[in-house]
Structure formats: structure tokens, C-alpha cells
Amino acid sequence: MTWLLWNVRGINKCYKRKELKNYLKIKNIKLAGIIETGVKEHKVKRVNCHIAPGWEILNNYNDAVNGRIWVIWDPNYYSVTLLKAEAQIIHCSVKDIMKDQECILSVVYGFNTIERRKQLWKSLTEIGKKISTPWLIGRYFSFVLQLQDRIHGNPNSMAEIQDFNKCVQDLRLSELAWEGEYYIWSNK
């Protein structure tokens, strides 16, 4: 399964929609998680039509202001069923129609504070206990797993990452290999 997690603030802007649309086409991506859209709920269909015409969409507007998370897919390639949506997570079943394979996909966009993320760890743990098929978590947790995963900016403390580490260990999760730059974002 080739898929994309895209953090795109300001997707209301034409050039951002066009950039994402071109990237999906060039990379032949048929399933994507989009976080931090900033799109008002009544504009979702129009914006999604500009990005991926004919694609389906799940979002979490019922649980989060401005729908912090979207999952979009080409229904010619995937069948996606919502299992659970919360302010920090969309959890769904994804079936690859061509290969007749199924997995669970969780797209995460974590809150910025330790206290508000506690619900995320609880939800992931509850979800993880029920899963018997392959599980992929695409995430922007708003923090790091290891202290060395951040350069510059405010330093992390062990208190900020200990709940995340416990969740990863309890669920026996492991990071997948990726392509591209290790450090990908800076607000400097």
C-alpha cells in the first residue's frame, strides 16, 4: 500500500491544493491522510474536489473544530470504512480492492499538551487490543519519540515523551522505514 500523510496548513489556498493534487498524481498515491487543513466543514466537498476529483473522504468535524484530520481515497483502488473518529484520530479499515488485502489505518494528529494527549494514548491502546489484522499508524504526534529526534527549537523533556514511549511499548509498535529527509520541518 502506497499512501501519504500530508500536513498542509491553509489548504484553502489554490496553490496548496494544486501542489497536493500534483503530488498525488506524480507519486500515484490513491490513499492519503491530511492533517491541519483549516478548512471549514461546509467547504470540504469543494476543496476535496479540487484536490482529488471523484475521491471519497472521511473527516473528524464532529469531534474537532475545523476537522483536524481527513482521510481521502480513490474508490477505484480502496474501500475505506470508518471505525472510530475522535479529535486526535481517525481509525478506519482499508481494503485494497485490487489485491484483496485489508489493514487497519489510524491517522493521528496529536494535541500540543501532555494532558490533552492522554486521551490519544488511551484510544490507541483500546484500539490496539482489538486489532488482529495489520495496523498502520500515520501520525503527526506534535512531539517526538526519542529526545534526539528534534534539533533546534525548544528541548524536549522525558515527561513529554514517556507516555508516548509507554504506548509504543505496550502495543509493540515499530517504526517503518521511510524515504526522504530525517528532519523535515522547522518553524525557524
Side-chain angles (χ1 to χ4, degrees), residues 52-69:
W55 284 27
E56 301 290 325
I57 185 169
L58 291 175
N59 57 59
N60 66 340
Y61 283 93
N62 289 336
D63 304 287
V65 176
N66 289 340
R68 295 167 48 91
I69 306 167

Side-chain angles (χ1 to χ4, degrees), residues 3-7 32-36 68-71 88-90 105-111 117 120-121 124 135-146 149-150 161 164-165 167-168 173-178 181-185:
W3 83 288
L4 168 74
L5 179 63
W6 189 282
N7 183 344
I34 304 173
I35 56 174
E36 198 175 11
R68 295 167 48 91
I69 306 167
W70 293 2
V71 176
Q88 300 180 84
I89 189 169
I90 289 182
L105 173 66
S106 297
V107 180
V108 174
Y109 182 38
F111 285 131
R117 286 192 298 256
L120 174 59
W121 309 136
L124 284 172
W135 185 20
L136 179 64
I137 303 173
R139 60 16 170 218
Y140 181 80
F141 286 116
S142 301
F143 50 91
V144 296
L145 184 58
Q146 306 293 330
D149 288 343
R150 176 183 285 166
I161 64 173
F164 184 20
N165 274 294
C167 182
V168 167
L173 300 174
S174 57
E175 286 188 270
L176 295 175
W178 70 91
E181 301 296 326
Y182 188 76
Y183 297 107
I184 57 166
W185 184 83

